[in-house]
Each structure stands twice: as structure tokens, then as C-alpha cells.
Amino acid sequence: MRHHLFSRASCFALVLSAAPAAQAQTATIVGTVHVFGDSVRRLRDVDVVLDPTTRQTRSDSLGAFRFVGVAAGEYRVRVRRIGFEAVVMKILAISDHDVAVNVAMQPSAQALATMTIAGKRIDYPVRLTEAYTRMRRSTGYFVTREQIDSLFPRDVSSLLMRIPGVRVIGMGDFEFARCDTERNVHVWVDGTRWTKYFSRDTLINVNATKAVRDIPVSSIQLMEVYSGVARIPGEYLDDACAVILIWRK
């Protein structure tokens, strides 16, 4: 009888040791980054850091990012991109769940390098007073003569590729994310509109790319770029969805 009880107990212990160990469950954090007030305009190459871990990533061409295998708990998602105000979001990761994060980034007052240095005098022609006044108000994106001298750009397209919402494609061609067609991108040089569209009979079609192609960057004193209708100065609006103003020396 004693031998029979001992055998049953040994068998039970063997079954327990064969049971699989429980696997730890983790969460996945998925997110998108877009411009504040315009969810269609996604932002790429945005730095995303997951605190308090050391994990970090960048958003892709669709503004998407992802962290997989995240342990349950509270985290902060820190988002940064040049030209936009940094964003910090507190999230709660739950095991075996996807956590969706929607990040809206507000353009900062100055998208490029600092335009004015305390104690430094900026000289410019009197005829450009209105343009420099707009620069101080930070209603658009601006490239000054000083910045051009420091960047050594090849052409105007090389400067435009630094502006959020502008994508350079092919051999110097560019497009604005908010514009459905290049017809709505207007280029003004020294107060005169250079982009023109007529019927096929006249064979005149000067789009934005052609308008800036032959302008040497060495001749530019100031360039203004307005990538949204709400930012375009009224005198240059017309039917544009984006405007490039170039002022030569």
C-alpha cells in the first residue's frame, strides 16, 4: 500500500514539471506625427524617444513610428523635429494591447537658423523693408543672405528642401505637400509674378520649378516661403496655395 501511494505522487510531480512556463506579455506603441491643424500633412524624420527607456526611432515617410515589445507601465513619448515645437505625451502601455499615439506638432516661430543675433546689426535695402518686417513677425519661412553664404547651396531648390512641407524630386523639381498641382505654387521675383499659365495655343507654361531654375542663389538677398493659404500675404494670394517670394540684391 505504501509503495502504491508513492508512485502516484511521483507521477503528479512529473506532470507539473512538464507544464509550459507562462510567457510575459508586452504592448506595442504605434503612432503618427502630423502638422497641428492639418492631419493630412504628415511629418517624416521626426525623432521619437520613449522615456524612461533608452529606445528611440524616427517617423517614416508617412509620419508613422512604432515601438514593439514594450513592458506594461507608464511612459512618456518625446517628439522633436527642427522647425517645430517639441511635444511630450504621457501614455499607459497595457500588456497584449496596441497603444495608438496621435502627435500634432506646432510649427515654431523660426524654422531655420536664428535670424537675429542680439547686438548684431542687419543691413538691407530700404525697398525690402516690408519683407524684413514680415520676417520679424515670423509669418512664414525665411532664408537670408547670411544663411545662403553659410550653406553654399547649389541652387534655389537646395534651399527649398530645407523648408518643412517642401519635397525636392528629380533634377531640381519640387512640390508642396499641401498643393494638389504645381499651378497653385506661385513665384514672385522682386514683386513681379514669374509663374504663368495660358492655353496650349500660346505655348506658354512657366511653372514654379522653371521660374526659379535660372535664378542664381548668389543674387538673392532674401527669400520668403509660405506653404499654406493662411500664411500668404494678401497682396500675393491670388489663387495660390503656396508662394515663394525672392528678393534680389
Side-chain angles (χ1 to χ4, degrees):
M1 179 64 69
R2 291 180 180 177
H3 179 73
H4 179 67
L5 290 175
F6 179 77
S7 298
R8 292 183 62 186
S10 299
C11 181
F12 180 65
L14 180 62
V15 172
L16 287 178
S17 63
Q23 296 182 353
Q25 294 180 329
T26 59
T28 299
I29 299 174
V30 295
T32 56
V33 189
H34 62 85
V35 177
F36 181 83
D38 187 355
S39 60
V40 177
R41 186 180 169 192
R42 303 296 178 86
L43 295 175
R44 64 182 300 171
D45 295 330
V46 176
D47 293 321
V48 185
V49 178
L50 184 64
D51 283 343
T53 73
T54 58
R55 299 177 63 176
Q56 56 184 338
T57 186
R58 280 192 171 187
S59 60
D60 60 20
S61 59
L62 298 178
F65 65 88
R66 176 187 297 265
F67 292 103
V68 298
V70 179
E74 291 187 354
Y75 297 90
R76 283 182 172 81
V77 176
R78 300 184 182 273
V79 184
R80 297 185 62 184
R81 188 182 191 277
I82 295 176
F84 293 83
E85 296 179 3
V87 177
V88 179
M89 300 182 67
K90 186 176 181 180
I91 64 171
L92 177 63
I94 302 176
S95 297
D96 201 27
H97 283 74
D98 288 349
V99 181
V101 182
N102 185 23
V103 183
M105 301 194 73
Q106 179 74 45
S108 61
Q110 293 177 329
L112 300 176
T114 303
M115 298 298 177
T116 304
I117 300 176
K120 180 179 179 179
R121 179 179 176 179
I122 299 178
D123 295 321
Y124 54 84
V126 176
R127 62 186 177 85
L128 301 184
T129 299
E130 291 186 7
Y132 277 88
T133 299
R134 286 192 293 268
M135 186 181 74
R136 287 193 296 270
R137 294 174 180 171
S138 301
T139 57
Y141 302 101
F142 299 84
V143 182
T144 65
R145 179 71 252 165
E146 291 77 12
Q147 289 174 315
I148 294 174
D149 290 338
S150 65
L151 293 172
F152 300 102
R154 182 180 64 256
D155 49 26
V156 175
S157 295
S158 301
L159 294 174
L160 291 172
M161 69 186 298
R162 297 173 174 270
I163 307 297
V166 181
R167 187 166 70 97
V168 176
I169 54 179
M171 298 299 293
D173 294 348
F174 56 87
E175 62 183 14
F176 282 73
R178 288 188 172 185
C179 299
D180 297 331
T181 173
E182 195 176 21
R183 283 178 174 267
N184 297 121
V185 179
H186 294 177
V187 176
W188 295 71
V189 180
D190 295 331
T192 301
R193 180 174 165 180
W194 280 28
T195 45
K196 300 178 181 179
Y197 295 93
F198 297 94
S199 65
R200 292 184 178 180
D201 296 335
T202 62
L203 299 178
I204 296 178
N205 180 9
V206 181
N207 58 29
T209 299
K210 292 181 180 178
V212 304
R213 184 166 292 165
D214 296 327
I215 299 177
V217 291
S218 60
S219 69
I220 299 176
Q221 175 68 26
L222 178 68
M223 183 171 73
E224 308 175 54
V225 182
Y226 300 92
S227 57
V229 174
R231 292 174 173 264
I232 300 175
E235 60 268 37
Y236 303 105
L237 183 56
D238 290 339
D239 59 341
C241 74
V243 165
I244 302 171
L245 303 180
I246 294 178
W247 303 99
R248 294 179 294 189
K249 297 179 182 178

